[in-house]
Amino acid sequence: MTARHLIAPPLTALGAAGVAACLFSAFTGMRDVMVTDGGFCASGGPYVIAHQCTGADMRLLMVSILGILVSAGCYLAGTRMLGGWTGTAGLLVWAALFGTLGWNFIDLGLHPPAGMNGAGGWLFSGVTFWLMAAGGLIPVIVSAAGWLRRGGRPQPSLTAAAQPTVWAQFPGMGGGRSGMEGGQSGMEGGRFGMGGNQFGMGGGQFGGAPPNPGGAPKRLKLPQPEDSP
C-alpha cells in the first residue's frame, strides 16, 4: 500500500467534515443577520449605521467562507487520490452550499421574523439558489444512475475508438474483380480496354493469377514484297 492510499481516506473525510462544519457556520451566521438585522448589517465608517454587525456574526461568516475553500480543496484532493472524479466532488460541494443558503431564504421568506413584511425578495432569492443547487445535483444523480447500471464498473473512455478494418488484396490472390463482375467496356466481347485484352491479370481479376505465357499470340509474319523487274 502506497503513501497515497494511506493519506487519501483521512484527507477526504477531513475535507468532507470541514465542508459540513463551515456550511453550518455560514447557515447560522446568515440566519442570525436575517432575523436580527433584517438581512443587512455593517460596521465601521464615518456614517451612523442602523444595524451594526456583531462580532459573532462576522466571525461565523468569515470563518465559513475561508473554511469552505480550504476544506473543499482537501476533499477534492482526497477524492482524486482515491481515483474518483473530482468533478462529482466539486458538484456536491456546489449543491450543498447553494442548497443550504437557499433554505435560509425560503424558510424565512415563508415565516418572516416578527415585525418584518415584504419577504418576497427572500423567496425569489431562495428559489434562485435552489435552481443553482439543482444545476450541480442533477449531473451527480445522472452519474450515480449510470454507475449503478454498469454494476460499479468504471465508465469506458470516450477517446477509445474502434480500430478501422482495412481490406487489402495482394498479387496472386484471386477473387476480387475490378469494377462490375462480368461487365464489358468498349466493344462487345472485350474486357476493359480492347477486345480480348483483359485488365491486369488473368480472368479479369484485379490481383489474380498471371496469364499463361503459353497462351500468348505468336508473332505475325508478313510476306516480303517481291523485287520489281
Side-chain angles (χ1 to χ4, degrees), residues 112-142:
M116 184 177 296
N117 298 320
W122 287 355
L123 289 175
F124 177 79
S125 300
V127 172
T128 303
F129 271 49
W130 274 8
L131 289 176
M132 296 174 68
L137 188 60
I138 291 175
V140 174
I141 295 175
V142 173

Side-chain angles (χ1 to χ4, degrees), residues 21-34 57 60-61 100-101 104:
C22 292
L23 283 177
F24 180 76
S25 175
F27 175 86
T28 304
M30 175 184 173
R31 192 175 187 87
D32 186 65
V33 171
M34 295 175 70
D57 292 338
L60 284 173
L61 293 175
T100 302
L101 300 183
N104 257 343

Side-chain angles (χ1 to χ4, degrees), residues 80-196:
R80 180 65 179 270
M81 291 180 182
L82 291 174
W85 185 44
T86 55
T88 302
L91 291 174
L92 283 175
V93 174
W94 173 279
L97 174 62
F98 285 99
T100 302
L101 300 183
W103 169 249
N104 257 343
F105 283 119
I106 290 179
D107 182 46
L108 293 178
L110 294 175
H111 309 93
M116 184 177 296
N117 298 320
W122 287 355
L123 289 175
F124 177 79
S125 300
V127 172
T128 303
F129 271 49
W130 274 8
L131 289 176
M132 296 174 68
L137 188 60
I138 291 175
V140 174
I141 295 175
V142 173
S143 178
W147 181 80
L148 291 175
R149 284 196 303 269
R150 295 191 303 271
R153 293 187 299 273
Q155 185 176 5
S157 175
L158 298 178
T159 58
Q163 295 294 330
T165 303
V166 179
W167 296 93
Q169 200 154 8
F170 298 95
M173 298 174 59
R177 294 185 179 275
S178 175
M180 295 181 296
E181 185 175 358
Q184 297 176 343
S185 174
M187 299 179 268
E188 183 178 358
R191 297 279 183 180
F192 184 81
M194 295 183 297

